[in-house]
Amino acid sequence: MSTSWDPALYRAFDDHRSRPFLDLLARVGETDPALTRVVDAGCGPGHLTGLLARRWPTATVEAFDSSPDMVAAARAAGVDAAQVDVRDWTPPRDTGVLLTNAVLQWVPEHPEVLRRWMASLAPGAWIAVQVPGNFDAPSHVQTREAATLPQWRDRIVLRGNETVLDPLGYADILAAAGADVDAWETTYLQRLDGDDPVLRWISGTALRPVRDALDDDAYDAFVRELAPRLRAAYPPSADGGTWFPFRRVFAVARKR
Protein backbone atom coordinates (compact mmCIF):
# COMPACT_ATOMS: atom_id res chain seq x y z
CA MET A 1 0.00 0.00 0.00
CA SER A 2 1.33 3.43 -0.92
CA THR A 3 1.43 5.85 2.01
CA SER A 4 0.54 9.51 1.54
CA TRP A 5 2.46 12.22 3.35
CA ASP A 6 1.73 15.72 4.62
CA PRO A 7 5.04 17.68 4.56
CA ALA A 8 3.73 20.45 6.81
CA LEU A 9 2.50 17.98 9.43
CA TYR A 10 5.77 16.05 9.24
CA ARG A 11 7.76 19.24 9.86
CA ALA A 12 5.60 20.30 12.81
CA PHE A 13 8.17 18.58 15.06
CA ASP A 14 11.18 19.66 13.01
CA ASP A 15 13.70 19.92 15.87
CA HIS A 16 12.90 16.43 17.16
CA ARG A 17 12.92 14.88 13.69
CA SER A 18 16.15 16.64 12.68
CA ARG A 19 18.28 15.52 15.60
CA PRO A 20 18.71 11.85 14.52
CA PHE A 21 19.72 13.05 11.03
CA LEU A 22 22.38 15.29 12.55
CA ASP A 23 23.65 12.53 14.84
CA LEU A 24 23.81 10.13 11.89
CA LEU A 25 25.61 12.63 9.66
CA ALA A 26 28.17 13.39 12.38
CA ARG A 27 29.40 9.78 12.35
CA VAL A 28 30.17 9.73 8.62
CA GLY A 29 33.93 10.17 8.36
CA GLU A 30 34.22 11.08 4.67
CA THR A 31 36.69 13.99 4.19
CA ASP A 32 37.83 13.53 0.58
CA PRO A 33 37.64 16.94 -1.17
CA ALA A 34 37.28 15.11 -4.49
CA LEU A 35 34.08 13.36 -3.40
CA THR A 36 31.83 13.05 -6.45
CA ARG A 37 28.29 12.18 -5.35
CA VAL A 38 26.27 12.31 -2.12
CA VAL A 39 22.76 10.84 -2.02
CA ASP A 40 19.84 11.61 0.30
CA ALA A 41 17.67 8.52 -0.20
CA GLY A 42 14.21 9.38 1.06
CA CYS A 43 14.74 13.11 1.43
CA GLY A 44 11.23 13.95 2.66
CA PRO A 45 10.50 17.69 2.35
CA GLY A 46 14.18 18.35 1.67
CA HIS A 47 14.76 20.58 4.67
CA LEU A 48 17.87 18.63 5.71
CA THR A 49 19.33 17.87 2.28
CA GLY A 50 21.12 21.20 2.26
CA LEU A 51 23.23 20.03 5.19
CA LEU A 52 24.80 17.46 2.87
CA ALA A 53 25.70 20.16 0.37
CA ARG A 54 27.29 22.25 3.10
CA ARG A 55 29.24 19.28 4.43
CA TRP A 56 30.53 18.31 0.96
CA PRO A 57 30.30 21.52 -1.12
CA THR A 58 32.09 20.18 -4.21
CA ALA A 59 30.00 17.01 -4.53
CA THR A 60 26.84 16.53 -6.55
CA VAL A 61 23.98 16.05 -4.08
CA GLU A 62 21.23 13.75 -5.35
CA ALA A 63 17.90 13.56 -3.50
CA PHE A 64 14.78 11.50 -4.02
CA ASP A 65 11.61 10.36 -2.27
CA SER A 66 8.71 8.08 -3.18
CA SER A 67 6.05 10.56 -2.06
CA PRO A 68 4.93 13.10 -4.69
CA ASP A 69 3.91 15.51 -1.92
CA MET A 70 7.32 15.30 -0.27
CA VAL A 71 9.09 15.71 -3.61
CA ALA A 72 6.98 18.79 -4.36
CA ALA A 73 7.83 20.27 -0.96
CA ALA A 74 11.54 19.54 -1.48
CA ARG A 75 11.50 21.18 -4.89
CA ALA A 76 9.71 24.20 -3.43
CA ALA A 77 12.57 24.40 -0.90
CA GLY A 78 15.10 24.50 -3.73
CA VAL A 79 16.13 20.84 -3.70
CA ASP A 80 16.30 19.15 -7.11
CA ALA A 81 14.49 16.05 -5.86
CA ALA A 82 13.24 13.15 -7.97
CA GLN A 83 10.29 10.84 -7.30
CA VAL A 84 11.84 7.39 -6.91
CA ASP A 85 11.12 4.40 -4.68
CA VAL A 86 14.16 3.12 -2.75
CA ARG A 87 13.25 -0.41 -3.85
CA ASP A 88 13.72 0.57 -7.50
CA TRP A 89 16.91 2.61 -7.08
CA THR A 90 20.53 1.54 -7.40
CA PRO A 91 23.36 3.84 -6.31
CA PRO A 92 25.63 5.05 -9.12
CA ARG A 93 29.13 3.65 -8.86
CA ASP A 94 30.60 7.09 -8.09
CA THR A 95 28.45 7.53 -4.95
CA GLY A 96 30.73 8.46 -2.07
CA VAL A 97 28.11 8.89 0.67
CA LEU A 98 24.63 7.33 0.72
CA LEU A 99 22.44 8.49 3.60
CA THR A 100 18.92 7.23 4.32
CA ASN A 101 17.16 8.68 7.33
CA ALA A 102 13.86 7.31 8.72
CA VAL A 103 12.89 5.67 5.43
CA LEU A 104 13.69 1.96 5.40
CA GLN A 105 11.20 1.10 8.16
CA TRP A 106 8.52 1.49 5.47
CA VAL A 107 10.18 -1.19 3.31
CA PRO A 108 9.83 -4.68 4.86
CA GLU A 109 12.41 -6.13 2.45
CA HIS A 110 14.98 -3.41 3.17
CA PRO A 111 17.71 -5.81 4.41
CA GLU A 112 17.92 -7.08 0.84
CA VAL A 113 17.85 -3.49 -0.44
CA LEU A 114 20.85 -2.73 1.77
CA ARG A 115 22.74 -5.76 0.43
CA ARG A 116 22.05 -4.66 -3.13
CA TRP A 117 23.16 -1.11 -2.41
CA MET A 118 26.37 -2.31 -0.79
CA ALA A 119 27.15 -4.49 -3.81
CA SER A 120 26.77 -1.45 -6.09
CA LEU A 121 28.99 0.90 -4.07
CA ALA A 122 32.70 1.20 -4.77
CA PRO A 123 35.34 0.55 -2.09
CA GLY A 124 35.70 3.56 0.18
CA ALA A 125 32.04 4.59 -0.09
CA TRP A 126 30.00 5.30 3.03
CA ILE A 127 26.44 4.28 3.83
CA ALA A 128 24.52 5.75 6.76
CA VAL A 129 21.16 4.38 7.95
CA GLN A 130 18.73 5.50 10.64
CA VAL A 131 15.37 3.87 11.39
CA PRO A 132 12.88 4.33 14.24
CA GLY A 133 12.99 1.48 16.73
CA ASN A 134 9.85 2.32 18.68
CA PHE A 135 7.38 -0.20 17.26
CA ASP A 136 6.99 -1.73 20.72
CA ALA A 137 6.34 1.67 22.33
CA PRO A 138 2.85 2.38 23.74
CA SER A 139 2.19 4.84 20.91
CA HIS A 140 2.44 2.07 18.33
CA VAL A 141 1.04 -0.76 20.46
CA GLN A 142 -2.10 1.24 21.20
CA THR A 143 -2.48 2.16 17.53
CA ARG A 144 -2.23 -1.50 16.50
CA GLU A 145 -4.68 -2.56 19.21
CA ALA A 146 -7.21 0.06 18.11
CA ALA A 147 -6.80 -1.13 14.52
CA THR A 148 -7.89 -4.64 15.54
CA LEU A 149 -11.32 -3.46 16.72
CA PRO A 150 -14.14 -4.93 14.60
CA GLN A 151 -15.04 -1.70 12.81
CA TRP A 152 -11.51 -1.27 11.40
CA ARG A 153 -9.66 -4.58 11.42
CA ASP A 154 -10.64 -5.48 7.84
CA ARG A 155 -9.43 -2.13 6.48
CA ILE A 156 -6.21 -1.33 8.34
CA VAL A 157 -2.94 -3.25 8.06
CA LEU A 158 -0.15 -2.14 10.41
CA ARG A 159 3.25 -3.73 10.84
CA GLY A 160 4.87 -4.47 14.17
CA ASN A 161 8.46 -4.54 15.37
CA GLU A 162 9.43 -7.15 12.78
CA THR A 163 9.85 -4.29 10.30
CA VAL A 164 13.24 -3.13 11.60
CA LEU A 165 16.34 -4.81 12.99
CA ASP A 166 18.39 -4.03 16.07
CA PRO A 167 21.90 -2.54 15.72
CA LEU A 168 23.45 -6.02 15.61
CA GLY A 169 21.21 -6.99 12.72
CA TYR A 170 22.31 -4.04 10.61
CA ALA A 171 25.94 -4.52 11.63
CA ASP A 172 25.82 -8.14 10.45
CA ILE A 173 24.34 -7.20 7.07
CA LEU A 174 26.83 -4.43 6.37
CA ALA A 175 29.86 -6.31 7.68
CA ALA A 176 28.97 -9.35 5.56
CA ALA A 177 28.91 -7.02 2.55
CA GLY A 178 32.51 -6.06 3.22
CA ALA A 179 32.28 -2.92 5.34
CA ASP A 180 33.66 -1.54 8.57
CA VAL A 181 30.60 -0.82 10.68
CA ASP A 182 29.59 1.49 13.52
CA ALA A 183 26.09 0.59 14.78
CA TRP A 184 24.24 1.83 17.86
CA GLU A 185 20.88 2.86 19.24
CA THR A 186 19.71 5.95 21.09
CA THR A 187 16.52 6.68 22.98
CA TYR A 188 15.69 10.37 22.80
CA LEU A 189 13.51 11.67 25.61
CA GLN A 190 11.47 14.25 23.77
CA ARG A 191 9.34 16.86 25.46
CA LEU A 192 6.05 17.46 23.65
CA ASP A 193 3.61 20.23 24.50
CA GLY A 194 -0.02 21.04 23.86
CA ASP A 195 -3.17 18.93 23.78
CA ASP A 196 -2.78 15.29 22.72
CA PRO A 197 0.86 15.84 21.73
CA VAL A 198 1.68 12.16 21.12
CA LEU A 199 -1.34 11.83 18.86
CA ARG A 200 -0.19 14.87 16.90
CA TRP A 201 3.34 13.43 16.68
CA ILE A 202 2.28 10.07 15.25
CA SER A 203 -0.28 11.72 12.95
CA GLY A 204 2.64 12.74 10.75
CA THR A 205 4.16 9.26 10.60
CA ALA A 206 2.68 6.11 12.16
CA LEU A 207 -0.93 7.12 11.48
CA ARG A 208 -0.39 7.79 7.78
CA PRO A 209 -1.36 4.21 6.75
CA VAL A 210 -4.48 4.50 8.92
CA ARG A 211 -5.39 7.82 7.31
CA ASP A 212 -4.95 6.32 3.85
CA ALA A 213 -7.12 3.29 4.67
CA LEU A 214 -10.12 5.17 6.09
CA ASP A 215 -12.51 7.84 4.89
CA ASP A 216 -12.79 11.07 6.85
CA ASP A 217 -15.57 9.94 9.19
CA ALA A 218 -13.94 6.60 9.96
CA TYR A 219 -10.57 8.22 10.56
CA ASP A 220 -12.12 10.75 12.94
CA ALA A 221 -13.73 7.87 14.83
CA PHE A 222 -10.41 6.04 14.97
CA VAL A 223 -8.70 9.11 16.40
CA ARG A 224 -11.42 9.47 19.03
CA GLU A 225 -10.76 5.87 20.07
CA LEU A 226 -6.99 6.27 20.09
CA ALA A 227 -6.65 9.66 21.79
CA PRO A 228 -7.64 8.60 25.36
CA ARG A 229 -5.44 5.50 25.07
CA LEU A 230 -2.44 7.70 24.31
CA ARG A 231 -3.29 10.16 27.09
CA ALA A 232 -3.30 7.28 29.56
CA ALA A 233 -0.02 5.89 28.22
CA TYR A 234 1.70 9.29 28.17
CA PRO A 235 0.32 11.41 31.01
CA PRO A 236 1.55 15.01 31.25
CA SER A 237 4.16 15.90 33.82
CA ALA A 238 3.59 18.40 36.63
CA ASP A 239 4.55 21.35 34.43
CA GLY A 240 2.15 20.33 31.66
CA GLY A 241 4.68 18.91 29.21
CA THR A 242 4.63 15.31 28.00
CA TRP A 243 7.77 13.17 27.89
CA PHE A 244 7.92 10.91 24.85
CA PRO A 245 10.75 8.33 24.70
CA PHE A 246 11.73 7.60 21.10
CA ARG A 247 14.23 4.85 20.27
CA ARG A 248 16.28 5.14 17.09
CA VAL A 249 18.62 2.60 15.47
CA PHE A 250 21.71 3.75 13.55
CA ALA A 251 24.36 2.14 11.36
CA VAL A 252 27.24 3.83 9.54
CA ALA A 253 29.55 1.73 7.37
CA ARG A 254 32.50 2.24 5.02
CA LYS A 255 32.97 -0.33 2.29
CA ARG A 256 36.46 -1.85 2.27
Side-chain angles (χ1 to χ4, degrees):
M1 178 180 66
S2 176
T3 301
S4 66
W5 290 93
D6 182 335
L9 184 59
Y10 183 84
R11 292 198 61 181
F13 296 93
D14 197 11
D15 289 346
H16 291 315
R17 299 199 195 281
S18 299
R19 186 176 174 187
F21 182 99
L22 297 173
D23 289 347
L24 180 67
L25 182 59
R27 301 287 272 270
V28 178
E30 179 58 72
T31 59
D32 185 357
L35 186 66
T36 303
R37 186 186 304 271
V38 176
V39 179
D40 188 356
C43 63
H47 59 302
L48 298 174
T49 306
L51 296 176
L52 304 180
R54 287 197 286 274
R55 172 80 181 269
W56 295 287
T58 63
T60 296
V61 176
E62 177 181 332
F64 66 87
D65 200 279
S66 63
S67 163
D69 294 327
M70 288 295 198
V71 169
R75 290 174 177 170
V79 176
D80 185 17
Q83 186 179 343
V84 181
D85 192 305
V86 295
R87 289 167 288 200
D88 301 326
W89 179 82
T90 299
R93 188 68 173 173
D94 65 348
T95 301
V97 175
L98 166 54
L99 186 145
T100 180
N101 182 66
V103 174
L104 296 181
Q105 73 275 11
W106 298 104
V107 182
E109 68 273 27
H110 72 260
E112 184 53 41
V113 171
L114 286 174
R115 293 183 185 97
R116 178 168 54 81
W117 286 357
M118 287 297 296
S120 299
L121 294 172
W126 292 79
I127 186 167
V129 177
Q130 185 271 124
V131 290
N134 63 331
F135 291 91
D136 283 336
S139 55
H140 286 59
V141 171
Q142 291 299 325
T143 300
R144 291 196 300 271
E145 288 185 359
T148 65
L149 294 175
Q151 60 267 46
W152 297 304
R153 65 188 175 199
D154 293 332
R155 288 186 280 175
I156 301 173
V157 178
L158 297 177
R159 300 186 181 97
N161 63 354
E162 73 281 356
T163 304
V164 301
L165 307 179
D166 61 11
L168 178 59
Y170 291 109
D172 281 344
I173 289 172
L174 297 170
D180 297 319
V181 184
D182 178 15
W184 71 99
E185 66 178 67
T186 298
T187 297
Y188 298 95
L189 187 59
Q190 301 173 171
R191 179 191 164 95
L192 305 180
D193 295 302
D195 297 332
D196 290 321
V198 175
L199 177 64
R200 287 190 296 113
W201 170 277
I202 67 172
S203 294
T205 52
L207 285 186
R208 298 312 301 170
V210 177
R211 186 65 188 92
D212 289 343
L214 302 177
D215 60 32
D216 291 346
D217 290 342
Y219 181 72
D220 289 344
F222 185 89
V223 168
R224 288 195 298 272
E225 172 66 34
L226 181 60
R229 293 168 176 253
L230 296 179
R231 289 186 213 119
Y234 299 95
S237 58
D239 66 356
T242 298
W243 293 111
F244 182 56
F246 201 120
R247 176 176 175 258
R248 302 273 186 160
V249 178
F250 301 79
V252 174
R254 185 175 188 268
K255 188 170 180 178
R256 293 192 293 270

mmCIF file of all heavy atoms in Angstrom, residues 11 33 45 58 74 76-77 99 113 115-116 164-166 169 178 184 186-188 197 202 217 219 245 255:
data_model
loop_
_atom_site.group_PDB
_atom_site.id
_atom_site.type_symbol
_atom_site.label_atom_id
_atom_site.label_comp_id
_atom_site.label_asym_id
_atom_site.label_seq_id
_atom_site.Cartn_x
_atom_site.Cartn_y
_atom_site.Cartn_z
ATOM 1 N N ARG A 11 6.795 18.261 9.365
ATOM 2 C CA ARG A 11 7.763 19.242 9.859
ATOM 3 C C ARG A 11 7.299 19.958 11.123
ATOM 4 O O ARG A 11 8.028 20.791 11.665
ATOM 5 C CB ARG A 11 8.066 20.264 8.763
ATOM 6 C CG ARG A 11 8.824 19.679 7.577
ATOM 7 C CD ARG A 11 9.477 20.759 6.757
ATOM 8 N NE ARG A 11 10.445 21.521 7.543
ATOM 9 C CZ ARG A 11 11.151 22.544 7.057
ATOM 10 N NH1 ARG A 11 10.987 22.907 5.806
ATOM 11 N NH2 ARG A 11 12.004 23.187 7.820
ATOM 12 N N PRO A 33 38.121 15.750 -0.457
ATOM 13 C CA PRO A 33 37.637 16.938 -1.168
ATOM 14 C C PRO A 33 37.224 16.644 -2.605
ATOM 15 O O PRO A 33 36.555 17.458 -3.237
ATOM 16 C CB PRO A 33 38.838 17.890 -1.118
ATOM 17 C CG PRO A 33 40.023 17.007 -0.957
ATOM 18 C CD PRO A 33 39.555 15.843 -0.134
ATOM 19 N N PRO A 45 10.717 16.340 2.881
ATOM 20 C CA PRO A 45 10.498 17.689 2.350
ATOM 21 C C PRO A 45 11.780 18.428 2.008
ATOM 22 O O PRO A 45 11.733 19.603 1.646
ATOM 23 C CB PRO A 45 9.733 18.383 3.481
ATOM 24 C CG PRO A 45 10.159 17.669 4.718
ATOM 25 C CD PRO A 45 10.379 16.227 4.306
ATOM 26 N N THR A 58 31.681 20.426 -2.828
ATOM 27 C CA THR A 58 32.093 20.182 -4.214
ATOM 28 C C THR A 58 31.407 18.971 -4.825
ATOM 29 O O THR A 58 31.558 18.715 -6.023
ATOM 30 C CB THR A 58 33.618 19.988 -4.296
ATOM 31 O OG1 THR A 58 33.997 18.818 -3.551
ATOM 32 C CG2 THR A 58 34.347 21.203 -3.735
ATOM 33 N N ALA A 74 10.087 19.410 -1.354
ATOM 34 C CA ALA A 74 11.537 19.538 -1.480
ATOM 35 C C ALA A 74 11.908 20.466 -2.630
ATOM 36 O O ALA A 74 12.796 21.319 -2.502
ATOM 37 C CB ALA A 74 12.167 18.162 -1.674
ATOM 38 N N ALA A 76 10.069 22.838 -3.834
ATOM 39 C CA ALA A 76 9.710 24.199 -3.430
ATOM 40 C C ALA A 76 10.768 24.815 -2.513
ATOM 41 O O ALA A 76 10.931 26.037 -2.466
ATOM 42 C CB ALA A 76 8.351 24.201 -2.737
ATOM 43 N N ALA A 77 11.499 23.935 -1.791
ATOM 44 C CA ALA A 77 12.567 24.396 -0.905
ATOM 45 C C ALA A 77 13.893 24.551 -1.638
ATOM 46 O O ALA A 77 14.915 24.847 -1.003
ATOM 47 C CB ALA A 77 12.727 23.422 0.259
ATOM 48 N N LEU A 99 23.084 8.320 2.298
ATOM 49 C CA LEU A 99 22.436 8.489 3.597
ATOM 50 C C LEU A 99 20.945 8.272 3.440
ATOM 51 O O LEU A 99 20.320 8.826 2.531
ATOM 52 C CB LEU A 99 22.737 9.886 4.143
ATOM 53 C CG LEU A 99 22.259 10.180 5.565
ATOM 54 C CD1 LEU A 99 23.257 11.101 6.286
ATOM 55 C CD2 LEU A 99 20.880 10.849 5.548
ATOM 56 N N VAL A 113 17.508 -4.760 0.228
ATOM 57 C CA VAL A 113 17.848 -3.494 -0.436
ATOM 58 C C VAL A 113 19.233 -3.041 -0.007
ATOM 59 O O VAL A 113 20.054 -2.616 -0.843
ATOM 60 C CB VAL A 113 16.791 -2.417 -0.125
ATOM 61 C CG1 VAL A 113 17.254 -1.046 -0.627
ATOM 62 C CG2 VAL A 113 15.445 -2.781 -0.739
ATOM 63 N N ARG A 115 21.724 -4.884 1.047
ATOM 64 C CA ARG A 115 22.735 -5.761 0.435
ATOM 65 C C ARG A 115 22.980 -5.368 -1.029
ATOM 66 O O ARG A 115 24.126 -5.338 -1.494
ATOM 67 C CB ARG A 115 22.288 -7.217 0.533
ATOM 68 C CG ARG A 115 22.233 -7.756 1.964
ATOM 69 C CD ARG A 115 21.853 -9.234 1.985
ATOM 70 N NE ARG A 115 21.684 -9.716 3.347
ATOM 71 C CZ ARG A 115 20.502 -9.816 3.963
ATOM 72 N NH1 ARG A 115 19.388 -9.502 3.311
ATOM 73 N NH2 ARG A 115 20.429 -10.239 5.215
ATOM 74 N N ARG A 116 21.911 -5.056 -1.726
ATOM 75 C CA ARG A 116 22.054 -4.664 -3.133
ATOM 76 C C ARG A 116 22.794 -3.341 -3.258
ATOM 77 O O ARG A 116 23.657 -3.177 -4.130
ATOM 78 C CB ARG A 116 20.665 -4.581 -3.783
ATOM 79 C CG ARG A 116 20.681 -4.143 -5.230
ATOM 80 C CD ARG A 116 19.333 -4.368 -5.893
ATOM 81 N NE ARG A 116 18.239 -3.750 -5.176
ATOM 82 C CZ ARG A 116 17.917 -2.448 -5.278
ATOM 83 N NH1 ARG A 116 18.637 -1.650 -6.052
ATOM 84 N NH2 ARG A 116 16.890 -1.968 -4.606
ATOM 85 N N VAL A 164 11.868 -3.610 11.509
ATOM 86 C CA VAL A 164 13.245 -3.130 11.598
ATOM 87 C C VAL A 164 14.084 -4.095 12.436
ATOM 88 O O VAL A 164 13.564 -4.886 13.224
ATOM 89 C CB VAL A 164 13.317 -1.708 12.206
ATOM 90 C CG1 VAL A 164 12.524 -0.720 11.365
ATOM 91 C CG2 VAL A 164 12.817 -1.701 13.644
ATOM 92 N N LEU A 165 15.389 -3.993 12.255
ATOM 93 C CA LEU A 165 16.343 -4.812 12.992
ATOM 94 C C LEU A 165 16.923 -4.023 14.154
ATOM 95 O O LEU A 165 16.755 -2.808 14.255
ATOM 96 C CB LEU A 165 17.465 -5.264 12.050
ATOM 97 C CG LEU A 165 17.041 -5.945 10.750
ATOM 98 C CD1 LEU A 165 18.265 -6.308 9.928
ATOM 99 C CD2 LEU A 165 16.194 -7.183 11.030
ATOM 100 N N ASP A 166 17.642 -4.722 15.025
ATOM 101 C CA ASP A 166 18.392 -4.027 16.067
ATOM 102 C C ASP A 166 19.768 -3.672 15.507
ATOM 103 O O ASP A 166 20.108 -4.033 14.367
ATOM 104 C CB ASP A 166 18.480 -4.881 17.333
ATOM 105 C CG ASP A 166 19.194 -6.207 17.119
ATOM 106 O OD1 ASP A 166 19.823 -6.406 16.051
ATOM 107 O OD2 ASP A 166 19.135 -7.060 18.011
ATOM 108 N N GLY A 169 21.711 -6.520 13.999
ATOM 109 C CA GLY A 169 21.207 -6.994 12.720
ATOM 110 C C GLY A 169 21.753 -6.197 11.550
ATOM 111 O O GLY A 169 22.184 -6.763 10.536
ATOM 112 N N GLY A 178 31.144 -6.538 3.364
ATOM 113 C CA GLY A 178 32.512 -6.062 3.219
ATOM 114 C C GLY A 178 32.737 -4.652 3.705
ATOM 115 O O GLY A 178 33.461 -3.882 3.050
ATOM 116 N N TRP A 184 24.625 1.498 16.480
ATOM 117 C CA TRP A 184 24.239 1.826 17.857
ATOM 118 C C TRP A 184 22.754 2.165 17.889
ATOM 119 O O TRP A 184 22.088 2.240 16.858
ATOM 120 C CB TRP A 184 25.065 2.992 18.386
ATOM 121 C CG TRP A 184 24.756 4.346 17.792
ATOM 122 C CD1 TRP A 184 23.978 5.334 18.335
ATOM 123 C CD2 TRP A 184 25.215 4.867 16.529
ATOM 124 N NE1 TRP A 184 23.930 6.421 17.502
ATOM 125 C CE2 TRP A 184 24.684 6.173 16.397
ATOM 126 C CE3 TRP A 184 26.026 4.365 15.513
ATOM 127 C CZ2 TRP A 184 24.927 6.980 15.278
ATOM 128 C CZ3 TRP A 184 26.275 5.155 14.393
ATOM 129 C CH2 TRP A 184 25.736 6.443 14.285
ATOM 130 N N THR A 186 19.888 4.840 20.162
ATOM 131 C CA THR A 186 19.712 5.953 21.090
ATOM 132 C C THR A 186 18.229 6.106 21.385
ATOM 133 O O THR A 186 17.410 6.019 20.463
ATOM 134 C CB THR A 186 20.245 7.272 20.494
ATOM 135 O OG1 THR A 186 21.641 7.155 20.240
ATOM 136 C CG2 THR A 186 20.009 8.438 21.440
ATOM 137 N N THR A 187 17.884 6.319 22.638
ATOM 138 C CA THR A 187 16.516 6.675 22.984
ATOM 139 C C THR A 187 16.492 8.149 23.349
ATOM 140 O O THR A 187 17.113 8.573 24.333
ATOM 141 C CB THR A 187 15.988 5.828 24.153
ATOM 142 O OG1 THR A 187 15.947 4.456 23.765
ATOM 143 C CG2 THR A 187 14.575 6.273 24.536
ATOM 144 N N TYR A 188 15.833 8.939 22.539
ATOM 145 C CA TYR A 188 15.687 10.371 22.796
ATOM 146 C C TYR A 188 14.466 10.583 23.694
ATOM 147 O O TYR A 188 13.383 10.073 23.401
ATOM 148 C CB TYR A 188 15.479 11.129 21.487
ATOM 149 C CG TYR A 188 16.628 11.034 20.520
ATOM 150 C CD1 TYR A 188 16.629 10.082 19.499
ATOM 151 C CD2 TYR A 188 17.714 11.895 20.610
ATOM 152 C CE1 TYR A 188 17.677 9.991 18.609
ATOM 153 C CE2 TYR A 188 18.772 11.817 19.717
ATOM 154 C CZ TYR A 188 18.747 10.865 18.721
ATOM 155 O OH TYR A 188 19.782 10.774 17.829
ATOM 156 N N PRO A 197 -0.357 15.641 22.512
ATOM 157 C CA PRO A 197 0.863 15.835 21.732
ATOM 158 C C PRO A 197 1.383 14.563 21.072
ATOM 159 O O PRO A 197 1.944 14.624 19.972
ATOM 160 C CB PRO A 197 1.865 16.384 22.757
ATOM 161 C CG PRO A 197 1.389 15.837 24.073
ATOM 162 C CD PRO A 197 -0.119 15.848 23.963
ATOM 163 N N ILE A 202 2.402 11.252 16.110
ATOM 164 C CA ILE A 202 2.281 10.075 15.245
ATOM 165 C C ILE A 202 1.345 10.322 14.064
ATOM 166 O O ILE A 202 1.353 9.543 13.102
ATOM 167 C CB ILE A 202 1.851 8.821 16.037
ATOM 168 C CG1 ILE A 202 0.435 8.946 16.570
ATOM 169 C CG2 ILE A 202 2.832 8.523 17.157
ATOM 170 C CD1 ILE A 202 -0.095 7.658 17.183
ATOM 171 N N ASP A 217 -14.779 10.250 7.996
ATOM 172 C CA ASP A 217 -15.568 9.944 9.188
ATOM 173 C C ASP A 217 -14.958 8.785 9.969
ATOM 174 O O ASP A 217 -14.888 8.823 11.217
ATOM 175 C CB ASP A 217 -17.009 9.619 8.800
ATOM 176 C CG ASP A 217 -17.772 10.839 8.298
ATOM 177 O OD1 ASP A 217 -17.318 11.968 8.576
ATOM 178 O OD2 ASP A 217 -18.807 10.660 7.630
ATOM 179 N N TYR A 219 -11.835 7.809 9.951
ATOM 180 C CA TYR A 219 -10.568 8.221 10.555
ATOM 181 C C TYR A 219 -10.822 9.057 11.809
ATOM 182 O O TYR A 219 -10.144 8.878 12.828
ATOM 183 C CB TYR A 219 -9.734 9.012 9.558
ATOM 184 C CG TYR A 219 -8.396 9.446 10.116
ATOM 185 C CD1 TYR A 219 -7.377 8.523 10.334
ATOM 186 C CD2 TYR A 219 -8.160 10.778 10.451
ATOM 187 C CE1 TYR A 219 -6.156 8.904 10.870
ATOM 188 C CE2 TYR A 219 -6.939 11.179 10.981
ATOM 189 C CZ TYR A 219 -5.942 10.234 11.187
ATOM 190 O OH TYR A 219 -4.735 10.621 11.722
ATOM 191 N N PRO A 245 9.520 9.044 25.068
ATOM 192 C CA PRO A 245 10.751 8.333 24.702
ATOM 193 C C PRO A 245 10.662 7.814 23.270
ATOM 194 O O PRO A 245 9.646 7.240 22.874
ATOM 195 C CB PRO A 245 10.811 7.177 25.705
ATOM 196 C CG PRO A 245 9.838 7.528 26.789
ATOM 197 C CD PRO A 245 8.782 8.322 26.122
ATOM 198 N N LYS A 255 32.652 0.873 3.044
ATOM 199 C CA LYS A 255 32.973 -0.335 2.290
ATOM 200 C C LYS A 255 34.481 -0.443 2.108
ATOM 201 O O LYS A 255 35.154 0.516 1.724
ATOM 202 C CB LYS A 255 32.284 -0.323 0.928
ATOM 203 C CG LYS A 255 32.418 -1.627 0.155
ATOM 204 C CD LYS A 255 31.532 -1.654 -1.065
ATOM 205 C CE LYS A 255 31.664 -2.960 -1.825
ATOM 206 N NZ LYS A 255 30.771 -3.010 -2.999
#
